[in-house]
Amino acid sequence: MSDGIRMYTNFIASIDTRLRNPKWVIEHLTRSKLKGDGTRSSSQFTEDAGVGARFRAKLSDYRGTGYDRGHMAPASNHKESQGSMDETFSLSNIAPQVGGGFNRDYWARFERFVQDTTKSFDDVWVVTGPLYIPRPGPSGWVLEHPMLGQPPQMVAVPTHFFKVVLAEQGDASTAVAAFVMPNSAIPAEYPLSAFSVPLTSLEEVSGLTFFPSLLDDARRMGLDAAALRWQALGRADAQRARLAPGASPPALLPPPPSLPGNAVVKSAVGAAVTAVFQGSNPAHLCDKLQCRLPAEDFWKGPGGGASRDRKLQRSQSAKF
Amino acid sequence: MSDGIRMYTNFIASIDTRLRNPKWVIEHLTRSKLKGDGTRSSSQFTEDAGVGARFRAKLSDYRGTGYDRGHMAPASNHKESQGSMDETFSLSNIAPQVGGGFNRDYWARFERFVQDTTKSFDDVWVVTGPLYIPRPGPSGWVLEHPMLGQPPQMVAVPTHFFKVVLAEQGDASTAVAAFVMPNSAIPAEYPLSAFSVPLTSLEEVSGLTFFPSLLDDARRMGLDAAALRWQALGRADAQRARLAPGASPPALLPPPPSLPGNAVVKSAVGAAVTAVFQGSNPAHLCDKLQCRLPAEDFWKGPGGGASRDRKLQRSQSAKF
């Protein structure tokens, strides 16, 4: 009864054999790991032979759908070697994403924002994954999303995507944040902090538990309060600018009152990460850094390096 | 990274912490295990304290929804002791089912049919679980189902339910069948065999793999052919009688051509069951028994015993 864990050189993916997407992908980023010669132009998307043939996502599932093959662990985080970059093109690291306005734009800038946290922190752990979030319908809550491919072997189109970032600077400083974005075009000016969500809500809608060895109930709920504060600020900014995100804000309510931590069954991500928080409580990432996305043309500038052709190549994701 | 396995005296449940339903429940039935004094009237539905408080189904999630709390391992299979029966009322063995015409009627007769296989076979393994099956929409396939409770802690309403039955008579005779039914009222006269499905299709739509140590590709596909034959016969009978099931037939296509069995990642149910099939291939259950449901008032007759009050008590599931 395997949990469907796939180990790669620089990331780990857990596979959902029903929805044929990753459940989550975890990476460890450092400044030095981000350097290297790997380029997207040498990589090709590949089916994962490590997942049963009847249960893996197939290249043909995406063909002609209009959806991009969206990376969970971004290719640009894994330039260390061409082999490492190639691994990120395994469909076990991929889920269907809207291209224009999302994968090729807002989400790409979000990935760069996360990468840039390594400028301030020595070690950054990132968990990325798809979400399937219910919406209110005329007669109650409904979960609804497209399915790609041919039944009964289908790939789900997620309604949203999440990233959880845990950043450490030695033992002195640790920061955490969780973001949830709709799988749709998002206006370029929309404030990143508006997508900050309480980790508690993300855990409950995903069924996952993030960094449980580090984040006990008290710490998690302290971070939740900061997350809601940043979310409110971001949404207020957006409202003043009369911006609407591509879809309704994520249907995530504020965290519930503290509950006893007697969980026996939970699906824990990053449980092995235990070596921090000896002394102080973690801060919310937006209290440590400016939670602002890089410029829309960040990939043009110096330092863009091998990813100069990034947007073009991302747009090719759907044409194959 | 737990798979969320819950061990009970006479059944095992795997928990879906996102959809807050079981993924599957497996039981082992024998004639002797079916005897006993346990009664439903002494049992109460209970939340499962073995699942994290934020990730378990709650009694309040069902309240006022109109859905029955439907057993995966049926209470009537576990009369051996009151304790065994009580365990089947754990919400980790429960999913939302339509009451009238399904849980209280067709599904109840189906459970009795499965129980009655113990009259012909010494050992019967049964796997039961919810399904979430896509349907064709105006612009492609869509997965859609209601969600109960309050976000972000919600319980999914399955579109369908399955049972896989593996029945053994010593080493001499083994029979297997898989059935999928819509979570909706089904006309009482609808033939059971119409709900026979290829195991291959059920595996692919659920992401699960059933009895992989026993059912290699060749054996599974032999059973698939028989399943499709019985399904066609049942549907033809239904058409002649102008019966329509409560929902469209399950969107399960015929099995694909044989594929290499190189699966590394798969979620296997019943992998420990290996002690049969030394000599002969398994038969389809409908080739061994008449795949016909018992009478609608089966619970009234002799042998109904403690379950005489069954239908009444099932109907109370929604009123609490």
Side-chain angles (χ1 to χ4, degrees):
Chain A
M1 310 193 185
S2 160
D3 227 15
I5 299 292
R6 299 285 295 136
M7 310 282 281
Y8 293 90
T9 310
N10 280 323
F11 65 94
I12 301 171
S14 168
I15 305 303
D16 186 328
T17 52
R18 178 168 70 87
L19 300 176
R20 291 177 179 75
N21 280 326
K23 288 179 185 167
W24 50 261
V25 174
I26 189 167
E27 325 159 70
H28 175 228
L29 308 183
T30 62
R31 281 182 290 281
S32 65
K33 277 191 185 175
L34 292 172
K35 293 172 187 150
D37 295 329
T39 67
R40 294 178 67 100
S41 54
S42 304
S43 298
Q44 293 185 53
F45 289 97
T46 51
E47 299 180 7
D48 184 355
V51 179
R54 299 188 292 129
F55 300 99
R56 72 174 71 130
K58 297 186 293 299
L59 294 169
S60 59
D61 293 331
Y62 283 82
R63 202 165 286 145
T65 63
Y67 287 99
D68 278 10
R69 294 167 291 190
H71 283 67
M72 301 296 98
S76 58
N77 284 357
H78 300 278
K79 292 186 288 195
E80 201 179 21
S81 73
Q82 191 59 43
S84 289
M85 176 162 285
D86 288 350
E87 286 183 340
T88 69
F89 284 75
S90 164
L91 292 191
S92 286
N93 181 47
I94 299 292
Q97 287 189 326
V98 168
F102 188 62
N103 177 46
R104 302 173 202 169
D105 299 292
Y106 201 93
W107 181 258
R109 289 162 64 211
F110 176 45
E111 288 176 341
R112 181 58 170 259
F113 163 81
V114 172
Q115 192 180 90
D116 284 348
T117 59
T118 57
K119 293 176 182 170
S120 309
F121 293 90
D122 288 340
D123 292 280
V124 179
W125 299 86
V126 188
V127 187
T128 308
L131 291 172
Y132 312 91
I133 302 188
R135 57 171 175 73
S139 52
W141 289 84
V142 176
L143 179 54
E144 180 180 7
H145 53 77
M147 300 287 284
L148 308 181
Q150 292 303 313
Q153 296 182 13
M154 305 197 86
V155 172
V157 179
T159 62
H160 295 72
F161 288 90
F162 72 84
K163 278 187 191 283
V164 177
V165 181
L166 185 152
E168 303 172 54
Q169 180 64 35
D171 287 347
S173 165
T174 307
V176 177
F179 299 91
V180 169
M181 293 176 189
N183 187 12
S184 54
I186 299 175
E189 311 75 28
Y190 209 84
L192 174 60
S193 57
F195 297 110
S196 155
V197 297
L199 201 54
T200 300
S201 305
L202 172 57
E203 289 186 341
E204 292 171 7
V205 84
S206 67
L208 301 172
T209 312
F210 298 94
F211 305 108
S213 314
L214 301 175
L215 299 174
D216 59 18
D217 285 354
R219 281 171 166 161
R220 197 185 64 243
M221 299 182 88
L223 291 165
D224 286 349
L228 287 171
R229 185 164 44 78
W230 283 106
Q231 183 189 88
L233 284 170
R235 290 188 179 179
D237 281 352
Q239 202 160 26
R240 268 193 296 277
R242 297 181 187 282
L243 294 168
S248 340
L252 297 169
L253 295 193
S258 185
L259 287 163
N262 62 348
V264 175
V265 170
K266 46 188 181 182
S267 188
V269 184
V273 181
T274 57
V276 291
F277 294 171
Q278 293 312 308
S280 60
N281 282 330
H284 194 276
L285 187 68
C286 301
D287 286 326
K288 290 279 185 176
L289 297 175
Q290 282 216 309
C291 273
R292 288 209 185 141
L293 293 189
E296 285 180 73
D297 56 354
F298 71 88
W299 45 276
K300 277 187 192 162
S307 65
R308 242 189 299 270
D309 50 355
R310 167 184 193 140
K311 187 157 175 176
L312 171 65
Q313 293 192 354
R314 282 184 170 246
S315 73
Q316 291 171 336
S317 290
K319 297 173 202 140
F320 52 95
Chain B
M1 308 193 187
S2 160
D3 227 15
I5 299 291
R6 299 285 296 138
M7 310 282 281
Y8 293 90
T9 309
N10 280 323
F11 65 94
I12 301 172
S14 168
I15 304 303
D16 186 328
T17 52
R18 179 168 71 87
L19 300 176
R20 292 178 179 75
N21 280 325
K23 288 179 184 166
W24 49 262
V25 174
I26 189 167
E27 326 159 69
H28 175 228
L29 307 183
T30 61
R31 281 183 290 282
S32 65
K33 277 191 184 175
L34 292 172
K35 293 171 186 151
D37 295 330
T39 67
R40 294 178 67 99
S41 54
S42 304
S43 297
Q44 293 185 52
F45 289 98
T46 51
E47 299 180 8
D48 184 355
V51 179
R54 299 188 292 130
F55 300 98
R56 72 175 69 131
K58 298 186 292 300
L59 294 169
S60 59
D61 293 330
Y62 283 82
R63 202 164 286 145
T65 63
Y67 287 99
D68 279 10
R69 294 167 290 191
H71 283 67
M72 301 297 98
S76 58
N77 284 356
H78 300 279
K79 292 186 288 195
E80 202 180 20
S81 73
Q82 190 59 43
S84 289
M85 175 162 286
D86 288 349
E87 286 183 340
T88 69
F89 285 76
S90 164
L91 292 191
S92 286
N93 181 47
I94 299 292
Q97 288 188 326
V98 167
F102 188 62
N103 178 46
R104 302 172 202 170
D105 299 292
Y106 201 94
W107 181 258
R109 289 162 64 211
F110 176 45
E111 288 176 342
R112 180 58 170 259
F113 164 81
V114 172
Q115 192 180 91
D116 284 348
T117 60
T118 57
K119 294 177 181 168
S120 309
F121 294 89
D122 288 340
D123 292 280
V124 179
W125 299 86
V126 188
V127 187
T128 308
L131 291 172
Y132 312 92
I133 301 188
R135 57 169 175 74
S139 53
W141 290 83
V142 176
L143 179 53
E144 180 180 7
H145 53 78
M147 300 286 286
L148 309 180
Q150 291 303 314
Q153 296 181 13
M154 305 197 85
V155 172
V157 179
T159 62
H160 296 72
F161 287 90
F162 72 85
K163 278 188 191 283
V164 176
V165 182
L166 185 151
E168 303 172 56
Q169 180 64 34
D171 287 347
S173 166
T174 307
V176 177
F179 299 92
V180 169
M181 293 177 190
N183 187 12
S184 53
I186 299 175
E189 311 76 28
Y190 209 82
L192 173 59
S193 57
F195 297 111
S196 156
V197 297
L199 201 53
T200 300
S201 305
L202 172 57
E203 289 186 343
E204 292 171 6
V205 84
S206 67
L208 301 172
T209 312
F210 298 95
F211 305 108
S213 315
L214 301 174
L215 299 174
D216 58 19
D217 285 355
R219 280 170 166 161
R220 197 184 63 243
M221 299 182 87
L223 291 166
D224 287 349
L228 286 171
R229 184 164 44 78
W230 283 106
Q231 183 189 87
L233 284 169
R235 289 188 180 178
D237 281 351
Q239 203 160 27
R240 269 193 295 278
R242 299 181 186 282
L243 293 168
S248 340
L252 297 171
L253 295 192
S258 183
L259 286 163
N262 63 349
V264 175
V265 169
K266 47 189 182 182
S267 188
V269 185
V273 181
T274 57
V276 291
F277 295 171
Q278 293 311 307
S280 60
N281 282 329
H284 194 276
L285 187 68
C286 301
D287 286 326
K288 290 278 186 177
L289 297 175
Q290 283 216 309
C291 273
R292 289 210 184 139
L293 292 189
E296 285 181 74
D297 56 354
F298 71 89
W299 45 276
K300 276 186 192 162
S307 64
R308 241 188 299 271
D309 50 355
R310 168 185 192 140
K311 188 157 175 175
L312 171 66
Q313 293 192 355
R314 282 184 170 246
S315 73
Q316 291 171 336
S317 290
K319 297 173 200 138
F320 51 95

